């Protein structure tokens, strides 16, 4: 799972994977929680946009 998060950090946050991997576990947990909230929000927005098209 950490590799997937590090990949996301590289492409979306423009941070090197080693920067994420060197964080404390509490900081990693914060980043992961923030990303999950962002992804959930994006998914809801996509569903709203899809519903408006119909």
């Amino acid at each position: 799972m950490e590799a997937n998060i590090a990949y996301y950090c590289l492409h979306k946050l423009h941070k090197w994977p080693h920067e994420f991997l060197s964080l404390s576990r509490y900081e990693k947990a914060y980043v992961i929680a923030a990303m999950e909230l962002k992804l959930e929000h994006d998914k809801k927005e996509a569903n709203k946009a899809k519903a408006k098209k119909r």
Side-chain angles (χ1 to χ4, degrees):
M1 179 172 165
E2 280 189 346
N4 292 337
I5 303 297
Y7 178 82
Y8 182 91
C9 287
L10 176 64
H11 289 281
K12 296 293 183 178
L13 304 176
H14 307 290
K15 297 290 182 186
W16 290 106
H18 75 271
E19 291 177 284
F20 170 75
L21 296 173
S22 67
L23 297 174
S24 73
R25 69 183 208 179
Y26 297 108
E27 291 171 318
K28 285 181 189 176
Y30 177 81
V31 171
I32 292 168
M35 287 174 37
E36 287 176 348
L37 286 173
K38 169 86 169 98
L39 292 172
E40 184 179 318
H41 177 265
D42 290 350
K43 187 176 179 180
K44 285 180 183 179
E45 290 297 315
N47 287 341
K48 283 182 188 178
K50 191 175 182 180
K52 278 189 176 182
K53 279 188 174 181
R54 294 180 188 174

